[in-house]
């Protein structure tokens, strides 16, 4: 019965999820309902439309095919090999590699630096992002020695660019992937268990999730088309209704979204979206979205960017769209360097980096420090005071108050080890180590620490018992001696 209710509820939720985030208009609920019927009509039309219809051929003219894109990525890799590496995070349903360009002065190496990612072409029929992202990579390659902002991105961060997460959808000129699944509804959802079955997850989605388990991204954005707005979490609401639904970092997300819209040629001038930004659920709620999953499960602040009113404009509009979005793309990627509090966490006894946690008083969100360098990168709105706390199991937490200016701030934490019983109890509960020798050594340490006081008491009691016994025996000897003396003749 529970299962049946779940299935029915999921079906009910899946209906609005067919609506575009990054496509059809948002706005009022009635518009949103209309969009649902529009989408249904569009779907029927797509089914009737031949993939090689003159309309589709004309639309694709001038755009990179998937083969062209692969060649562009590899050409870039050869041309800019000193600051990049090319890798694939997996394959689409039809076996197209999901190529990534990593840009950094030490590509492929782990450093104590923040990482940012751009993902384009989430929806197959929104190809502007893949064109812009190839231009972005090449522009960085051509300008990193002369442009201070670009140089800073290359030297102090790792920028990963995935131009197309949905090459099959692009080839088919449709929103979903080869199985017609909307990839921006395919992630596990925080409110409703729509996509929790790992066996039904699309390979493109699974590839992104695996990617985020391997690289600790601080910030991110996906590129869509069909509107002009920077969209931020939450995308979904707990009650399934359309209204503003803020995540714990609402202020920071508004700041990041504004960074994009204000740097854009005309996004912030929008009459539909004040300042060119919107809360996702306020626009229209969706479930299984990539940005909510990034923030919740990967510690990554992700935006959904609608970069062009026209989903699939004529190719000769791309240079203009690039000019409109260029500074936005650069400034957002640089936001992981230019804002927030950054630093490292160390152990005071050994000096080793600690993979601890950073929390901000009043914000229910935790940012993890890296395992290799103990580095953390916590994005925050500039010009505010914050109480920053570093914690690590087995160590005493430390808190400090900072006044964040207009630029990023560096704060390192040196944590002292706990020396009480509590330390050992805490470390044991957080320890996943399987090695028997270290476990037994650890167990002995804990056992000894836990029972030391008991041993001292037992030893004192033993001494007391022995002394008392000795005293008693002396006393009785004295008495016997006295008795014997009294029996002796005077
Ligand atoms: Zn989209």
């Amino acid at each position: 019965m529970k299962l049946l209710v779940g299935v029915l509820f999921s079906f009910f939720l899946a209906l609005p999820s067919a609506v575009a985030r990054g496509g059809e208009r948002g706005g009022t609920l009635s518009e949103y309902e209309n969009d649902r019927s529009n989408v249904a009509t569009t779907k029927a039309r797509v089914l009737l439309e031949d993939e090689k219809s003159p309309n589709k051929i004309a639309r694709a003219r001038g755009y990179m095919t998937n083969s062209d894109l692969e060649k562009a990525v590899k050409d870039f890799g050869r041309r800019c090999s000193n600051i990049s590496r090319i890798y694939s995070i997996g394959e689409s349903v039809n076996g197209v590699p999901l190529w990534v360009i990593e840009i950094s002065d030490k590509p492929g190496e782990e450093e104590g630096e923040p990482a940012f990612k751009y993902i384009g072409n989430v929806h197959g029929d929104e190809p502007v992002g893949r064109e812009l992202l190839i231009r972005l990579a090449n522009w960085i390659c051509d300008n990193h020695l002369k442009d201070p902002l670009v140089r800073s991105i290359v030297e102090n961060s790792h920028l990963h660019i995935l131009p197309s997460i949905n090459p099959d959808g692009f080839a088919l000129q449709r929103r979903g992937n080869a199985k017609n699944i909307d990839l921006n509804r395919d992630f596990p959802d925080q409110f409703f268990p729509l996509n929790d079955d790992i066996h039904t997850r699309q390979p493109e989605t699974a590839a992104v999730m695996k990617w985020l388990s391997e690289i600790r991204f601080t910030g991110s954005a996906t590129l869509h088309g069909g509107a002009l707005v920077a969209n931020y979490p939450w995308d979904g609401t707990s009650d399934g209704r359309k209204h503003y639904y803020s995540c714990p970092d609402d202020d920071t997300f508004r700041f990041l979204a504004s960074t994009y819209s204000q740097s854009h040629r005309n996004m912030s001038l929008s009459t539909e979206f004040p300042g060119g930004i919107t809360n996702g659920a306020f626009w229209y709620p969706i479930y299984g979205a990539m940005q909510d999953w990034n923030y919740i499960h990967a510690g990554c602040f992700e935006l959904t960017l609608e970069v062009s009113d026209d989903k699939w404009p004529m190719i000769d509009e791309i240079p203009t769209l690039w000019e409109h979005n260029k500074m936005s793309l650069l400034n957002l990627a640089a936001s992981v360097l230019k804002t927030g509090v950054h630093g490292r966490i160390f152990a005071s006894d050994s000096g080793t980096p600690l993979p601890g946690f950073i929390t901000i008083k009043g914000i229910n969100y935790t940012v993890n420090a890296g395992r290799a360098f103990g580095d953390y990168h916590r994005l925050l709105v500039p010009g505010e005071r914050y109480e920053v706390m570093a914690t690590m199991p087995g160590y005493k937490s430390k808190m400090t108050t900072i006044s964040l200016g207009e630029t990023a701030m560096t704060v390192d934490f040196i944590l002292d080890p706990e020396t009480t019983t509590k330390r050992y109890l805490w470390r044991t509960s957080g320890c996943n180590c399987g090695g028997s020798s270290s476990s037994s050594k650890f167990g002995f340490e804990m056992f000894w620490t836990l029972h030391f006081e008991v041993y001292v008491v037992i030893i004192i009691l033993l001494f007391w018992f022995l002394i008392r016994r000795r005293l008693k025996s002396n006393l009785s000897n004295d008495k016997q001696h006295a008795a014997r003396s009294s029996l002796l003749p005077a």
Side-chain angles (χ1 to χ4, degrees):
M1 184 62 194
K2 198 178 168 188
L3 187 69
L4 182 67
V5 171
V7 169
L8 286 172
F9 193 49
S10 300
F11 179 71
F12 168 74
L13 282 164
L15 284 177
S17 79
V19 182
R21 163 61 36 84
E24 287 70 40
R25 297 174 309 279
T28 64
L29 196 55
S30 58
E31 282 175 332
Y32 158 72
E33 294 297 331
N34 286 338
D35 279 341
R36 280 170 56 177
S37 57
N38 287 343
V39 167
T41 315
T42 311
K43 269 190 179 167
R45 197 165 57 235
V46 167
L47 285 173
L48 293 171
E49 198 175 8
D50 187 75
E51 278 172 23
K52 290 181 180 164
S53 71
N55 281 348
K56 284 197 169 182
I57 293 169
R59 195 157 75 145
R61 194 167 290 137
Y63 277 88
M64 289 181 289
T65 62
N66 286 332
S67 307
D68 294 338
L69 179 65
E70 182 169 353
K71 185 173 180 301
V73 167
K74 289 181 175 173
D75 284 350
F76 173 88
R78 279 187 287 272
R79 192 168 78 83
C80 307
S81 58
N82 57 328
I83 58 157
S84 73
R85 90 177 155 119
I86 308 302
Y87 66 100
S88 164
I89 59 164
E91 290 184 347
S92 67
V93 171
N94 287 341
V96 180
L98 306 170
W99 293 111
V100 177
I101 295 170
E102 180 190 354
I103 296 178
S104 165
D105 57 349
K106 290 181 184 165
E109 279 185 44
E110 192 175 349
E111 297 186 273
E113 295 180 348
F116 189 96
K117 67 177 157 64
Y118 276 121
I119 299 179
N121 202 198
V122 177
H123 292 135
D125 58 349
E126 297 164 16
V128 173
R130 55 194 259 148
E131 295 282 340
L132 296 190
L133 291 179
I134 287 293
R135 278 171 171 74
L136 175 68
N138 281 295
W139 203 84
I140 290 173
C141 181
D142 294 338
N143 292 280
H144 74 99
L145 294 176
K146 50 192 174 194
D147 184 298
L149 180 69
V150 179
R151 190 167 64 231
S152 173
I153 290 171
V154 172
E155 289 179 357
N156 304 312
S157 76
H158 288 248
L159 175 59
H160 299 252
I161 296 173
L162 169 55
S164 176
I165 184 64
N166 188 5
D168 297 347
F170 171 79
L172 295 163
Q173 295 196 17
R174 72 174 181 208
R175 182 178 178 81
N177 68 349
K179 294 195 172 169
N180 214 7
I181 301 295
D182 186 333
L183 300 178
N184 202 30
R185 309 291 187 277
D186 196 41
F187 285 80
D189 191 81
Q190 64 174 322
F191 300 122
F192 307 109
L194 295 172
N195 307 309
D196 288 357
D197 185 354
I198 197 161
H199 302 294
T200 60
R201 190 155 299 131
Q202 297 306 300
E204 297 89 349
T205 316
V208 170
M209 291 171 71
K210 185 167 171 283
W211 192 22
L212 269 69
S213 70
E214 291 162 355
I215 297 176
R216 198 167 41 101
F217 289 103
T218 298
S220 171
T222 56
L223 273 66
H224 293 253
L228 202 57
V229 66
N231 177 107
Y232 55 88
W234 297 126
D235 258 345
T237 55
S238 59
D239 58 6
R241 297 169 70 87
K242 173 188 175 294
H243 55 86
Y244 197 109
Y245 207 57
S246 54
C247 72
D249 276 293
D250 191 58
D251 290 342
T252 303
F253 272 109
R254 290 175 62 83
F255 171 76
L256 293 171
S258 297
T259 297
Y260 198 90
S261 70
Q262 299 290 338
S263 307
H264 190 276
R265 182 70 59 85
N266 46 26
M267 189 181 278
S268 64
L269 307 174
S270 169
T271 51
E272 186 180 359
F273 304 102
I277 66 171
T278 188
N279 172 261
F282 181 71
W283 189 9
Y284 56 91
I286 63 171
Y287 300 90
M290 199 188 292
Q291 72 175 13
D292 286 6
W293 190 85
N294 265 257
Y295 177 61
I296 297 164
H297 297 283
C300 177
F301 286 54
E302 179 166 285
L303 300 177
T304 306
L305 304 170
E306 306 287 348
V307 297
S308 159
D309 276 319
D310 191 349
K311 274 191 181 191
W312 200 312
M314 297 292 282
I315 192 68
D316 56 10
E317 290 181 43
I318 295 294
T320 307
L321 289 167
W322 161 241
E323 285 304 321
H324 286 190
N325 285 281
K326 183 173 78 181
M327 283 318 299
S328 299
L329 290 167
L330 291 169
N331 281 332
L332 188 65
S335 67
V336 295
L337 296 168
K338 292 165 76 176
T339 60
V341 59
H342 306 249
R344 296 176 69 183
I345 308 175
F346 297 99
S348 68
D349 52 351
S350 60
T352 53
L354 296 174
F357 310 99
I358 295 292
T359 48
I360 307 293
K361 193 178 177 186
I363 303 177
N364 182 23
Y365 192 74
T366 303
V367 166
N368 294 2
R371 191 158 287 279
F373 297 98
D375 61 308
Y376 71 88
H377 311 279
R378 210 305 174 193
L379 302 182
L380 289 164
V381 180
E384 305 276 342
R385 280 171 70 83
Y386 298 98
E387 287 182 41
V388 188
M389 186 158 82
T391 56
M392 174 74 197
Y395 291 81
K396 293 174 188 165
S397 299
K398 270 191 186 167
M399 183 183 269
T400 185
T401 303
I402 59 162
S403 287
L404 196 59
E406 291 307 307
T407 55
M409 198 168 179
T410 302
V411 179
D412 289 338
F413 287 92
I414 298 169
L415 304 185
D416 299 322
E418 293 269 14
T419 50
T420 61
T421 304
K422 191 178 161 191
R423 176 191 176 192
Y424 290 101
L425 286 173
W426 201 0
R427 276 178 62 185
T428 310
S429 63
C431 180
N432 295 320
C433 39
S436 57
S437 59
S438 62
S439 300
S440 58
K441 185 176 170 234
F442 196 75
F444 174 75
E445 278 182 352
M446 190 183 73
F447 185 78
W448 174 248
T449 312
L450 269 175
H451 296 91
F452 181 72
E453 295 88 344
V454 181
Y455 296 149
V456 170
V457 172
I458 289 170
I459 289 164
I460 290 171
L461 282 171
L462 201 68
F463 268 110
W464 181 75
F465 177 75
L466 288 171
I467 290 166
R468 199 162 163 240
R469 211 177 138 175
R470 184 72 187 262
L471 279 172
K472 261 189 179 172
S473 120
N474 284 351
L475 203 66
S476 113
N477 284 346
D478 286 351
K479 275 183 182 170
Q480 279 175 16
H481 183 71
R484 272 200 302 272
S485 302
S486 65
L487 289 173
L488 289 172

